[in-house]
Amino acid sequence: MPKTSARLLSLLSLLQTRRDWPGALLAERLDISPRTVRRDVDRLRELGYPIVAFKGPAGGYRLEAGTELPPLLFDDEQAIALAIALQIATTTGAGIAEAAARALNTVRQVMPARLRHRIDTLQVTAVERPTIRPGPQVDSSVLMALSAAVHAREVLRFDHTAVSRPGAVDHGARTPPRRVQPHHLVTWDGRWYLVAWDLDREDWRTFRADRITPRTPTGPRFTPRELPGGDVAAFVAGKFWDSDSSGNWPCRGEVILDLPAAAVSRYTRYGFAEELGPNRCRLVLGSWSWPGLAATIGKFDADIEVVGPAELKNAFARLARRYANAAADAP
């Protein structure tokens, strides 16, 4: 890469790391003169980058948003990171797999040969976790609408398709329009969720984004409330892991295992383990069926004491008969 082009790339990378850059500091970081900084800024402007100069004791430059997308310049590490992200985009559930493939092809075509070879040797196969619940794809326009409302802190109105339980007939019935103060857009286990304060129910709620149909226009601006616990990751994890919130699962049981809680919790995705002794813990777990819950608990190589409910005990009995029959038929 010519020296001038390499310097322009370094200058652009610096301008993207902070809002304001004093000219003297840029010159020092790039080991060039302030005059060369001015010339390089002019070259970037000719390429379409909206760089403005500001005056003052520490006058300098600022990269601002423009009306058009200028040519994108990436260093080697940024290009490799982008290629990896685009290859695993199919697992995000954001409905952008085709667009990601086109973007990866576009980026690859304009890469220098040495970097294109490195990208071609980095073939990533994105394999989603096997599940009985296929991950739904969310329209990217819905995600953008939700994200915009979160950023603007505007009341959001939307239709929300009710969640049907296994065995129930799903007629696609919609509940009345919801009015919420949107706070966070998060992804969890291949699905997208909106964390919001429900104005009608006066409580925090999580809504699956694939079941949301936003209405326009949005409502008035609001002052954000403090999320319980203050951390969105902990809040969402609590919604899916905490025993008080595991009503999302139609089947929920409790057992005692002769294993330490630390060993059990590493393999417990939807539940929690409580230490009862050096090698004994209480496990609370949810599932979509009682046999499925019993089979999941049975993967632990330990004695099991069922606390409840009776449906879980019956499921263990059914599985025991099946396993005994299978063992009897073995040669």
Side-chain angles (χ1 to χ4, degrees):
M1 180 182 292
K3 184 177 180 181
T4 300
S5 299
R7 194 174 65 242
L8 290 177
L9 177 58
S10 298
L11 173 59
L12 183 60
S13 296
L14 288 175
L15 289 172
Q16 293 177 102
T17 59
R18 55 187 285 181
R19 178 168 175 79
D20 295 331
W21 272 97
L25 183 56
L26 282 174
E28 179 183 344
R29 293 288 295 272
L30 297 171
D31 195 21
I32 57 178
S33 67
R35 182 180 179 183
T36 303
V37 171
R38 290 193 295 271
R39 287 203 305 263
D40 287 350
V41 166
D42 289 338
R43 291 190 179 99
L44 289 176
R45 287 169 175 164
E46 291 173 359
L47 292 173
Y49 290 94
I51 302 174
V52 299
F54 59 89
K55 299 180 180 180
Y61 303 94
R62 177 187 305 131
L63 179 63
E64 295 192 339
T67 58
E68 296 180 355
L69 183 67
L72 300 179
L73 301 178
F74 300 100
D75 59 31
D76 288 8
E77 291 183 352
Q78 289 174 324
I80 292 173
L82 179 62
I84 295 175
L86 290 172
Q87 289 190 51
I88 64 175
T90 56
T91 63
T92 64
I96 57 173
E98 182 180 348
R102 295 200 311 270
L104 179 59
N105 185 57
T106 300
V107 170
R108 182 188 176 280
Q109 287 180 347
V110 298
M111 285 181 177
R114 59 175 178 78
L115 192 54
R116 187 184 309 121
H117 175 70
R118 293 182 64 186
I119 295 299
D120 289 343
T121 61
L122 182 63
Q123 295 296 325
V124 180
T125 301
V127 179
E128 298 187 58
R129 183 178 62 85
T131 176
I132 60 175
R133 300 182 300 157
Q137 295 295 302
V138 184
D139 193 308
S140 58
S141 63
V142 172
L143 294 180
M144 293 301 295
L146 299 181
S147 179
V150 171
H151 180 73
R153 298 177 178 176
E154 293 176 343
V155 171
L156 184 66
R157 299 180 305 118
F158 59 85
D159 296 313
H160 188 255
T161 306
V163 179
S164 60
R165 294 300 185 187
V169 179
D170 187 357
H171 298 288
R174 295 183 182 275
T175 59
R178 309 297 286 265
R179 296 185 314 114
V180 304
Q181 294 176 347
H183 281 256
H184 298 276
L185 183 62
V186 300
T187 178
W188 172 276
D189 195 28
R191 291 183 173 179
W192 289 85
Y193 295 88
L194 175 68
V195 178
W197 174 264
D198 193 312
L199 291 171
D200 296 321
R201 291 156 180 79
E202 297 186 346
D203 195 10
W204 290 96
R205 292 287 191 272
T206 56
F207 301 92
R208 274 185 32 190
D210 61 291
R211 296 180 178 271
I212 289 178
T213 303
R215 291 193 174 195
T216 56
T218 53
R221 292 177 60 87
F222 63 89
T223 300
R225 301 169 184 266
E226 183 176 354
L227 191 69
D231 180 74
V232 64
F235 175 80
V236 174
K239 281 291 183 181
F240 291 96
W241 281 347
D242 192 5
S243 61
D244 292 335
S245 304
S246 58
N248 291 321
W249 297 106
C251 303
R252 172 174 169 270
E254 180 180 342
V255 299
I256 305 296
L257 295 177
D258 287 342
L259 285 173
V264 173
S265 61
R266 289 200 301 268
Y267 305 98
T268 303
R269 192 178 185 88
Y270 300 113
F272 73 93
E274 177 187 3
E275 194 77 51
L276 298 180
N279 291 289
R280 192 172 173 81
C281 71
R282 180 174 72 99
L283 175 64
V284 178
L285 199 62
S287 181
W288 290 102
S289 70
W290 292 112
L293 180 56
T296 298
I297 297 173
K299 72 182 180 182
F300 296 103
D301 187 14
D303 290 337
I304 304 170
E305 175 187 340
V306 179
V307 177
E311 290 86 349
L312 181 57
K313 288 189 176 183
N314 294 335
F316 272 115
R318 290 198 300 272
L319 290 181
R321 289 193 296 270
R322 291 172 187 169
Y323 292 156
N325 293 336
D329 295 338

